[in-house]
Structures are given as C-alpha cells and as structure tokens.
C-alpha cells in the first residue's frame, strides 16, 4: 500500500498492479481490481496535494484518534498518514476506515474543551482524555464583537429572546406607615383670661361636638369687668357718641375671646351677665380634655383639643433607596389591619425634608378621606406606591436579560443564526419585571432573556482565546 500511495501516475500504478496480481493469485486480484477506481482517485488527489499543499498534521493509519505534528510510525511499524491544509478527515464508527468530510469548512485551531486559554493547531486531548474542540474559520468571520453558539446547544439550553419595546415603567414600592390626624384640622380650646369652670357640657374624650355648641360654663372676673365697661360706655341714651364710647370696651371683650353674640347681647340688654356658656370653635371629635368641673383655669391652658376626622393622614416610612421614585402626586394604596381587603386610595401630598438616622427612612405623607370614620389614630398601615405611573414610556428590556457584574451591565443582542453580541448598557428605572435602558439598545432589537450565563461564558471564552492567540506586538 505504501508503494501505491507513492506512485505519481496512473500508468505506473497499473504496472505495479499487474506485477502484484501475479504474486497474490486470482482471488486477491479480484478484490484489488474492484478497488482500483478508488485507489486511482485517491492516488491522483494525494499526488496533487503532496506536490502543492503543505502537510497540516499526521494521523494514525488505522483510523484511531491519534495525531502527530510530524512523521511517525504506529506500534505496528506503519507510517502515519499526512493530512494536508485543504483536507479535513473525519472518522466513521467502523475502525480502520476514513471518509472525506462533506463540509468545506476548514479548521483554524483546536481549543481546550474546559475553556482554558490553550489552543492547538492539530487535534489533541487534554489531561482528562477529552478531545479539543475545533474552531472553524467561518466562526471568526465577524467584527470581533459577536459570539456564535451552535443551534443544538441553544435548543438544549432553552435560550429565549424578546423584542425590545417602549413601555411604561411602573415600580411597586412597599412601606409601612401609621395613621395620624390631619394637623390642619385640629383645634385647641383655650381662654385668654383666668376663670372658673362652673359646669361641663362636654365632659368625656371622644365626644362629638358641633361648632357653636356650649362646651362649659365659665365665670371670669376679667370678662365681667370688660362687660361692665361696655354697659357704662353705652349709657342709657343711644346716639352717635354712644358708638364711639363703646368701641374700647367692645374691642377689649373681643381681645378676651368673648363671642360676638355675647357682646351684642350685653350691649343691647345692658345687663352684666355673671357667667358665659363657652361655645365650641369647630366641629369634630374631642380627642383631649384637660379640665374638670369646678376647676380654676389660667389663661392659655389647653382645655380641649378637637379633631376633624373626616380626613386623615398616613405617615409612611420609605427606605432611602426607594425615595427617588416617589414624588408629590404619586398614587398610593393603604391597607390597614382592620380592613385588609379594602384598601384606601390616596396620593402623596408631602415628603418630609429629613431622614431618620436610626432607620435610614424618609417620612412620606398621604392624605385619605375618612367619611365613615374607619381610619383610627395610630393604626398600623401597609402602603404600596405606584412610582413612575405618570412618566413617559421608555425603552425597556426584561430584568432577566441584564447581566450585572456590579460595575458593568451587559445585555446579549440576538443577531440570528446562533450569533449573539454582548453589549454594555446604561440602566434607569425598574418596575414590573423590566428595566429602563438609557443607552445601549434600540427599539426592535432582540435580547436574550434566558440562558444568558451560557452565552456570556462563550463570549468570555472567545475573548480569552483571542487575547491568547494574538501575536505580541513588536518591541
């Protein structure tokens, strides 16, 4: 066989066959003649290849998966067969048989199957007996930014893609809060003169009152003196001078907080009434009572505190990291433990300018209507904010498409036919499983949403191999 493969012409081959037939007999000649067309074609290709192409490597003559970079003999003394640069040989399951590969793709080099930065110009095995993986020339015909993954590996790994679209980014922020009274609807009842409580009409906390209803009966010497001055100034006769003289005492009674109805009654009747039934200045519920019947009360003492409970506040404690998404007007849903399935809907009306150093939270105020009085002071509340609801839609990708290393965020753009491009992106808001992309991708591109780790690993491997195989720049 070695003699046949070294023949350069078909004519020389025929002479050698005739001589060989005479030595092996008719039976062997029949088999040899049946293989003559194949041998002739192989000798022609081999002769042309040997004359024109350099040897890429040498393979085992028995078809076993052994190769050599130079000429070599096997254990039986047979020469290893040369494989040329334009020839690719693959092995079928039957031993000692080789068939020419049908694919015209050419192997550029072989890479380590474990992803190590180690390549070989010829097939070889690693220290675990695993074959090196061929890298073909057409796999590197790109711009250096894409990575190609075989279609069968894509199917096995469950790679999924999604088209980049413009969508609203609504983020759900959760916080805890406490129900408080509306500070603008609180009224404090005090006196501007010393006095004595002779009778209490509202004597319990929680009692509902209406504006103008009497709270208590008061005797005050200062008010008595001011009323007497008004009666004297008015005099027994009406006239223009009567109004001028009465201005001072009238204003003094007003300064003492005496209601206008009582002042007019004293002026018209001319009677200095000893006590006065003090009216409620507002409608609401008494949430504080600081007096008792018969008590002496000095000027300025808080007697009652009345709250209008038809509107309430919820003060939510929002984490510092979630604060940028919340602004005045953001919708909020409040659920209290007493009514967990009946949330109250409101909006953010104020964000307090300080942050608690102990909890690193900011206070956010939400105003809620409370016509039925279901919200009670100091109730515990679960608050859900819908941030970004009023903002313009933005280009967004699924959150699962982002590969975040902490300092760098990357998405994988699907180019088709198993090609993917890792692309750095700048991210913005997050919400509903999507992330706003400020730069890096465009509407209509396809991004990988699952099995991103596989493709990212292939990309990192390709970058490592390129840096390993590139020649060093001349010094």
């Amino acid at each position: 066989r070695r003699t046949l493969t070294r023949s350069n012409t078909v004519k020389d081959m025929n002479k050698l066959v005739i001589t060989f037939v005479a030595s092996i007999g008719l039976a062997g000649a029949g088999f040899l003649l049946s293989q003559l067309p194949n041998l002739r074609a192989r000798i022609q290709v081999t002769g042309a290849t040997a004359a024109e192409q350099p040897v890429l490597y040498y393979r085992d003559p028995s078809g076993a998966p052994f190769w050599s970079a130079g000429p070599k003999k096997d254990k039986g003394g047979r020469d290893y067969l040369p494989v040329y640069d334009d020839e690719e040989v693959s092995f079928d399951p039957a031993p000692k048989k080789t068939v020419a590969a049908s694919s015209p793709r050419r192997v550029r080099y072989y890479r380590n199957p474990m992803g190590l930065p180690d390549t070989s110009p010829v097939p070889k095995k690693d220290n675990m007996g695993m074959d090196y993986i061929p890298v073909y020339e057409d796999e590197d015909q790109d711009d250096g930014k894409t990575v190609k993954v075989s279609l069968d590996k894509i199917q096995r790994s469950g790679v999924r893609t999604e088209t980049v679209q413009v969508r609203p980014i609504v983020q759900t922020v959760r916080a805890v809060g406490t129900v408080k009274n509306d500070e603008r609807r609180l009224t404090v009842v005090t006196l501007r003169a010393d006095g004595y409580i002779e009778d209490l009409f509202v004597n319990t906390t929680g009692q509902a009152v209406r504006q103008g209803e009497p709270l208590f009966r008061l005797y005050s010497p200062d008010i008595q003196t001011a009323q007497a001055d008004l009666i004297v100034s008015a005099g027994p006769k009406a006239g223009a001078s009567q109004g001028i003289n009465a201005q001072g005492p009238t204003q003094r009674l007003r300064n003492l907080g005496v209601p206008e109805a009582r002042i007019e009654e004293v002026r018209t009747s001319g009677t200095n009434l000893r006590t006065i039934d003090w009216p409620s200045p507002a409608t609401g519920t008494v949430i504080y009572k600081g007096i008792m019947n018969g008590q002496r009360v000095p000027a300025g003492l808080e007697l009652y505190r009345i709250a209008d409970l038809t509107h309430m506040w919820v003060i939510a404690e929002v984490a510092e990291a979630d604060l940028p998404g919340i602004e005045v007007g953001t919708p909020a849903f409040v659920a209290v433990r007493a009514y967990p399935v009946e949330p109250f809907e409101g909006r953010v009306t104020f964000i307090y300018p300080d942050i608690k150093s102990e909890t690193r939270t900011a206070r956010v105020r939400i105003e809620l209507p409370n016509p039925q009085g279901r919200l009670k002071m100091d109730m515990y509340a679960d608050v859900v904010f819908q941030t970004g609801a009023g903002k313009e839609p933005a280009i967004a990708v699924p959150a699962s498409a982002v590969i975040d290393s902490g300092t760098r965020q990357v998405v994988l753009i699907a180019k088709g036919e198993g090609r993917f491009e890792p692309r750095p992106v700048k991210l913005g808001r997050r919400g509903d499983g999507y992330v706003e992309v400020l730069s890096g991708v465009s509407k209509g591109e396809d991004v990988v949403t699952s099995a991103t780790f596989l493709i990212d690993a292939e990309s990192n491997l390709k970058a490592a191999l390129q840096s390993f195989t590139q020649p060093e720049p001349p010094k």
Side-chain angles (χ1 to χ4, degrees):
R1 184 178 178 185
R2 290 196 300 271
T3 305
L4 290 177
T5 55
R6 291 169 183 161
S7 300
N8 295 326
T9 64
V10 177
K11 181 178 179 181
D12 294 337
M13 181 198 69
N14 293 334
K15 292 180 180 180
L16 290 173
V17 169
I18 295 172
T19 304
F20 189 59
V21 167
S23 62
I24 64 176
L26 294 177
F31 172 76
L32 183 60
L33 291 175
S34 65
Q35 301 297 322
L36 184 59
N38 294 335
L39 291 173
R40 180 185 295 111
R42 181 164 182 80
I43 291 169
Q44 290 176 348
V45 174
T46 304
T49 303
E52 300 175 3
Q53 297 293 335
V55 176
L56 183 61
Y57 58 91
Y58 294 83
R59 62 179 177 83
D60 190 281
S62 64
F66 300 110
W67 297 268
S68 173
K72 180 181 178 182
K73 293 181 181 295
D74 63 0
K75 294 181 180 180
R78 294 176 297 178
D79 293 330
Y80 271 47
L81 301 179
V83 177
Y84 299 96
D85 192 27
D86 60 350
E87 181 182 2
E88 182 183 351
V89 176
S90 62
F91 296 90
D92 60 7
K96 300 183 180 180
K97 292 184 180 180
T98 61
V99 293
S102 60
S103 174
R105 302 169 68 192
R106 297 176 57 185
V107 178
R108 184 175 182 182
Y109 58 87
Y110 296 80
R111 63 179 176 85
N112 189 288
M114 300 301 294
L116 300 176
D118 179 25
T119 61
S120 172
V122 297
K124 63 180 291 189
K125 294 179 179 292
D126 63 1
N127 54 5
M128 299 177 61
M130 300 175 62
D131 293 330
Y132 272 47
I133 301 174
V135 177
Y136 299 95
E137 287 187 348
D138 58 353
E139 291 184 353
D140 290 341
Q141 294 177 356
D142 53 34
D143 56 2
K145 298 180 180 179
T146 60
V147 59
K148 187 172 183 180
V149 181
S150 61
L151 297 180
D152 59 338
K153 186 180 293 186
I154 292 176
Q155 293 177 353
R156 291 196 307 268
S157 304
V159 176
R160 297 290 183 269
T161 61
E162 184 173 327
T163 303
V164 179
Q165 298 179 358
V166 176
R167 62 179 68 245
I169 306 297
V170 179
Q171 181 183 8
T172 300
V173 175
R174 298 183 179 275
V176 296
T178 307
V179 178
K180 298 292 184 182
N181 292 319
D182 189 340
E183 295 176 359
R184 296 169 299 188
R185 297 174 183 267
L186 295 177
T187 303
V188 174
V189 179
T190 62
L191 295 177
R192 301 178 184 179
D194 296 344
Y196 298 87
I197 306 299
E198 295 196 353
D199 197 6
L200 281 180
F201 304 117
V202 177
N203 53 10
T204 59
T205 303
Q207 185 174 341
V209 298
R210 292 184 176 275
Q211 186 176 7
E213 290 183 353
L215 298 174
F216 53 88
R217 182 165 292 166
L218 173 72
Y219 165 72
S220 174
D222 295 336
I223 295 178
Q224 284 288 109
T225 302
Q227 289 181 158
D229 292 343
L230 176 60
I231 295 173
V232 172
S233 300
K237 297 181 181 179
S241 61
Q242 178 186 6
I244 298 175
N245 295 332
Q247 288 182 355
T250 301
Q251 187 61 40
R252 190 177 302 113
L253 286 173
R254 289 172 180 168
N255 293 342
L256 292 175
V258 177
E260 287 291 336
R262 180 58 180 268
I263 297 174
E264 185 64 25
E265 181 183 359
V266 172
R267 180 187 298 113
T268 55
S269 66
T271 303
N272 188 1
L273 302 177
R274 177 178 174 275
T275 60
I276 177 174
D277 292 345
W278 203 265
S280 172
T283 300
T285 302
V286 175
I287 61 175
Y288 172 78
K289 182 180 79 73
I291 58 174
M292 293 183 294
N293 193 13
Q295 179 180 346
R296 178 184 181 276
V297 290
L301 178 66
E302 183 178 357
L303 308 180
Y304 293 95
R305 186 179 301 171
I306 301 173
D308 182 0
L309 303 180
T310 58
H311 287 77
M312 301 294 286
W313 286 357
V314 172
I315 307 300
E317 302 286 341
V318 179
E320 185 177 359
D322 297 330
L323 194 58
I326 298 177
E327 57 187 15
V328 175
T330 300
F333 297 90
V334 179
V336 295
R337 297 294 175 86
Y339 313 102
V341 295
E342 301 178 17
F344 298 83
E345 184 175 356
R347 291 186 177 273
V348 175
T349 58
F350 186 72
I351 300 175
Y352 289 82
D354 59 329
I355 290 181
K356 292 184 177 180
S357 58
E358 299 85 358
T359 59
R360 307 308 304 170
T361 56
R363 293 177 298 162
V364 176
R365 188 173 73 206
I366 306 159
E367 296 186 17
L368 299 175
N370 187 36
Q372 299 177 359
R374 295 190 299 169
L375 293 176
K376 311 297 182 182
M377 178 72 172
D378 291 330
M379 270 186 169
Y380 181 85
D382 294 316
V383 185
V384 178
F385 299 94
Q386 297 294 333
T387 64
K391 294 185 178 180
E392 294 293 330
I395 295 177
V397 299
S400 59
V402 180
I403 303 173
D404 194 345
S405 64
T407 57
R408 184 170 179 263
Q409 292 78 37
V410 177
V411 297
L412 298 171
I413 306 298
K415 295 291 189 179
E417 299 181 356
R419 294 184 178 272
F420 303 92
E421 177 189 350
R423 188 179 298 174
V425 292
K426 184 178 180 182
L427 304 180
R429 297 172 291 157
R430 295 175 180 263
D432 289 344
Y434 287 86
V435 183
E436 178 186 9
V437 179
L438 302 178
S439 63
V441 298
S442 302
K443 178 183 177 182
E445 292 185 305
D446 293 331
V447 296
V448 179
T449 60
S450 63
T452 55
F453 175 77
L454 166 68
I455 304 173
D456 185 52
E458 293 282 348
S459 175
N460 294 336
L461 175 61
K462 177 182 177 182
L465 290 175
Q466 287 180 347
S467 62
F468 183 76
T469 57
Q470 287 178 353
E472 296 184 358
K475 297 182 179 180

